Amino acid sequence: MTNRYDTGMQVRRKVLGDAHVDRAEANKQPFDQQFQEMITETAWGNCWASDAIPDRERSMLTLALLAATGNFEEIPMHIRATARTGATKEDVAQAFMHVAVYAGVPKANHAYKLAKQTYAEMEAQGD
């Protein structure tokens, strides 16, 4: 493995938590191993590892981009990550307001729905 992979795995664990990463690693198969390594190296070992902007803002950007591009499947995972990145519910709500203005109300509406469900699950679990 590369240094970027090792860095990426550390950052991934810091942002998403050990339990999430352990589950993802357990589900990795030869079919998607190269893809998973690429994500760890580029998304986590390059982008998220950069100290150019704080994790709080990076969370807000990530959530807004996921919503704006209609990639809703990863929103709950990144909502859960806000507990570790410092992005508050208000931060996330404001990010989704930008989505409504610049990418469309239906996308923002769906993102809000997913965020509310995820926050409720987190509260029920004591997260």
Side-chain angles (χ1 to χ4, degrees), residues 32-103:
D32 67 339
Q33 181 170 345
Q34 185 177 11
F35 175 72
Q36 293 297 324
E37 290 170 1
M38 184 268 300
I39 290 170
T40 301
E41 289 180 349
T42 57
W44 299 104
N46 190 25
C47 183
W48 275 87
S50 168
D51 60 359
I53 58 173
D55 288 347
R56 173 182 168 262
E57 284 78 2
R58 201 172 300 279
S59 275
M60 294 162 58
L61 284 168
T62 301
L63 285 162
L65 287 165
L66 289 170
T69 57
N71 291 297
F72 298 112
E73 186 173 311
E74 291 199 357
I75 286 178
M77 174 181 72
H78 281 280
I79 290 292
R80 286 183 182 90
T82 63
R84 287 173 288 285
T85 65
T88 66
K89 286 183 182 182
E90 181 60 26
D91 293 334
V92 172
Q94 289 302 311
F96 291 158
M97 288 292 287
H98 275 69
V99 171
V101 170
Y102 292 102

